[in-house]
Amino acid sequence: TIVFAACVTACVDSGTSTAHSGSDSVASTLSTSSSSGSSETTPPAPDAGMRSLGSANTNLKTQRPGAPAQLVVTNVRVGTHEGFERIVFEFHGSGDPGWFIDYSDSPTQQGSGSPVEYTGDTALNINIDGTAYPFEVGIPDPRLNPVPGSGGIVVSAGTFEGRSQFVVGIKGSAKPYSVQVLKDPVRLVLDISS
């Protein structure tokens, strides 16, 4: 499993979460106010009301990016919730990301074929499509640092020909995961069962 260093945007940034409708829904509004009829206030647990997005399994997941897409991953956020752990990739630019995600015991860097070092027993190899180099969208290089977790580390393996690669170390065997795109702002969200 991965212990996350920060809560995600759709999580508890300022005491509320963004509610989405349909099958992509996240938790409804979190609040420290009491329910009607009660005079006591009980703060919720940090992950109160959060639930995993989508259907999770260990299968390869792929989707083409919305065309045209020119996105740069500017931040990787992580958070732990009851029954799952969440990784959120934040973007600058336009369009919707695509992805090619699968487990690997020996992930290699795209383009070079060099091994990607990771901590953990297996690796989730995350390739985000529809991406660009920072200079192509007029921003400085975000210089993404590895994000530590109990089972491993989320590391950036760089961008090459419209694809940005990240590798997540997983403690133990492959865990079911789901992938979703959230809007306003656009984020790619992976929920990994714990």
Side-chain angles (χ1 to χ4, degrees):
T1 59
I2 302 164
V3 175
F4 298 106
C7 190
V8 298
T9 304
C11 178
V12 186
D13 282 335
S14 60
T16 61
S17 68
T18 306
H20 297 272
S21 60
S23 62
D24 294 347
S25 67
V26 222
S28 59
T29 302
L30 297 175
S31 173
T32 56
S33 62
S34 60
S35 59
S36 60
S38 172
S39 61
E40 292 184 63
T41 301
T42 305
D47 64 353
M50 288 298 297
R51 63 181 175 174
S52 180
L53 300 173
S55 297
N57 58 49
T58 58
N59 298 340
L60 175 145
K61 293 173 182 54
T62 186
Q63 180 168 308
R64 296 293 306 146
Q70 276 213 312
L71 299 162
V72 173
V73 178
T74 56
N75 195 17
V76 179
R77 292 177 168 256
V78 291
T80 249
H81 307 285
E82 186 177 338
F84 71 98
E85 298 167 327
R86 175 168 288 175
I87 304 172
V88 176
F89 297 92
E90 297 179 351
F91 299 98
H92 174 86
S94 60
D96 290 325
W99 55 84
F100 185 93
I101 304 171
D102 200 10
Y103 279 102
S104 173
D105 291 331
S106 53
T108 58
Q109 187 177 38
Q110 56 183 344
S112 74
S114 298
V116 176
E117 303 239 348
Y118 67 94
T119 303
D121 300 309
T122 191
L124 189 58
N125 191 16
I126 302 166
N127 296 282
I128 303 173
D129 293 327
T131 62
Y133 295 110
F135 70 84
E136 293 179 299
V137 296
I139 64 169
D141 188 340
R143 300 201 183 269
L144 300 170
N145 293 321
V147 180
S150 66
I153 297 175
V154 181
V155 296
S156 172
T159 297
F160 180 73
E161 294 184 350
R163 176 175 275 184
S164 295
Q165 182 183 18
F166 295 83
V167 174
V168 180
I170 302 290
K171 187 175 182 180
S173 60
K175 311 257 187 270
Y177 70 99
S178 64
V179 184
Q180 297 286 322
V181 172
L182 299 181
K183 304 281 192 168
D184 301 321
V186 173
R187 284 124 38 226
L188 183 68
V189 178
L190 274 77
D191 286 345
I192 302 172
S193 299
S194 50

